[in-house]
């Protein structure tokens, strides 16, 4: 079964400091991995995804994420946080062998 | 592109009433997903369709919930009868057929309040 874990309900960081939002996953095969952001009273917005190739993926708004197969992790990072980055962040996974299936989302991490 | 369109954006109804939520996916997308978001349960997948065919409805909480996709450009989620515990934000999302790592595009959501 596929699953995603976001171990932190909330992450607090000072503006200008680097931020990390953690995500680990479990799939039977190889994963497609995604990060989404949700601002208050809005829908989820796609940030970035890992499909194949370079383990470091760059996305919108200066965010990046690193795929680590041995640790089954896909942590979201940003070198210098902004107040406007405060939002709810979701990690999601799909097993490559499960074509045609929905993304499985984590419970979300609030970044403040 | 207008993105995923949902209506209404807000719905307030009384317990026992029928509620119908509507979704128009992005043109050309083959897959459509209905999610529910609450503080207690987070984001839950209710049902999804590929090429207008329901694939997995195991997330539909009860028989009171039903979803249809009569054509590629329209889907409904119906709750009959509604209950206060159905109060949540309901999101619709669409994507190209999800076989190559395509992301899902979310609509703005419908905030449902059942009194």
């Amino acid at each position: 079964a596929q699953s995603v874990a976001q171990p932190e309900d909330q992450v607090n960081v000072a503006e200008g400091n680097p931020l990390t939002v953690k995500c680990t996953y479990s799939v039977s095969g190889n994963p497609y991995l995604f990060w989404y952001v949700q601002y208050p009273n809005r829908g989820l917005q796609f940030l970035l995804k890992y499909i194949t190739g370079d383990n470091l993926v760059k996305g919108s708004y200066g965010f990046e994420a690193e795929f680590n197969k041995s640790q089954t992790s896909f942590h979201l990072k940003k070198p210098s946080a902004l107040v406007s980055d405060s939002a709810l962040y979701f990690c999601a996974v799909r097993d490559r062998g499960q074509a045609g299936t929905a993304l499985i989302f984590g419970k979300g991490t609030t970044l403040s | 592109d207008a993105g995923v369109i949902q209506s209404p954006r807000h719905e307030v109804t009384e317990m026992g009433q029928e509620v119908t939520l509507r979704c128009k996916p992005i043109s050309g997308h083959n897959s459509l997903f209905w999610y529910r978001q609450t503080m207690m349960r987070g984001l839950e997948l209710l049902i999804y369709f590929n090429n207008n065919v329901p694939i997995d409805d195991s997330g539909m909480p009860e028989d009171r919930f039903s979803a249809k996709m009569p054509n590629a450009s329209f889907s409904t989620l119906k709750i009959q009868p509604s209950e206060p515990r159905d109060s949540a934000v309901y999101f619709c999302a669409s994507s190209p057929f999800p076989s190559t790592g395509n992301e899902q595009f979310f609509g703005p959501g419908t905030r449902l309040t059942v009194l």
Side-chain angles (χ1 to χ4, degrees):
Chain A
Q2 306 173 71
S3 65
V4 175
Q6 294 182 243
E8 301 155 319
D9 290 337
Q10 178 144 353
V11 171
N12 298 315
V13 63
E15 187 173 36
N17 283 1
L19 70 87
T20 299
V21 183
K22 296 180 181 177
C23 171
T24 59
Y25 66 90
S26 175
V27 297
S28 57
N30 292 311
Y32 294 129
L33 293 156
F34 304 77
W35 276 102
Y36 284 79
V37 60
Q38 185 181 27
Y39 298 102
N41 301 312
R42 304 287 293 274
L44 278 71
Q45 294 178 232
F46 169 74
L47 272 181
L48 52 80
K49 65 182 177 183
Y50 171 78
I51 302 300
T52 187
D54 195 346
N55 289 344
L56 184 63
V57 178
K58 295 186 182 297
S60 307
Y61 311 120
F63 284 95
E64 58 188 29
E66 186 166 11
F67 170 61
N68 187 317
K69 187 173 183 178
S70 63
Q71 297 186 3
T72 62
S73 68
F74 190 57
H75 301 330
L76 181 70
K77 299 181 180 182
K78 187 173 182 181
S80 178
L82 300 173
V83 172
S84 57
D85 294 330
S86 298
L88 182 59
Y89 291 82
F90 290 94
C91 182
V93 68
R94 179 189 294 124
D95 189 322
R96 293 184 191 219
Q98 301 282 329
T101 61
L103 294 179
I104 303 300
F105 284 86
K107 293 190 174 183
T109 298
T110 299
L111 177 65
S112 180
Chain B
D1 198 324
V4 177
I5 299 173
Q6 292 187 246
S7 65
R9 293 293 308 276
H10 302 273
E11 176 80 33
V12 180
T13 191
E14 293 187 346
M15 183 174 63
Q17 297 298 307
E18 177 179 296
V19 175
T20 299
L21 311 181
R22 297 172 176 79
C23 175
K24 177 179 170 55
I26 293 172
S27 178
H29 282 189
N30 304 101
S31 298
L32 184 140
F33 311 83
W34 282 102
Y35 290 86
R36 177 173 70 176
Q37 186 178 35
T38 61
M39 290 292 291
M40 293 298 295
R41 294 175 173 269
L43 192 64
E44 303 173 274
L45 175 67
L46 299 177
I47 185 172
Y48 72 94
F49 298 81
N50 287 341
N51 296 319
N52 312 337
V53 176
I55 302 301
D56 184 355
D57 66 353
S58 60
M60 297 285 263
E62 302 171 31
D63 291 345
R64 298 185 296 107
F65 286 70
S66 63
K68 294 182 179 180
M69 192 166 185
N71 57 62
S73 59
F74 184 66
S75 177
T76 59
L77 178 68
K78 185 176 293 186
I79 309 172
Q80 166 64 17
S82 59
E83 297 183 3
R85 59 192 168 126
D86 302 330
S87 297
V89 181
Y90 290 81
F91 289 105
C92 176
S94 71
S95 80
F97 186 77
S99 61
T100 57
N102 289 315
E103 61 269 29
Q104 296 172 187
F105 295 81
F106 282 76
T110 295
R111 183 174 296 276
L112 173 64
T113 302
V114 183
L115 302 175

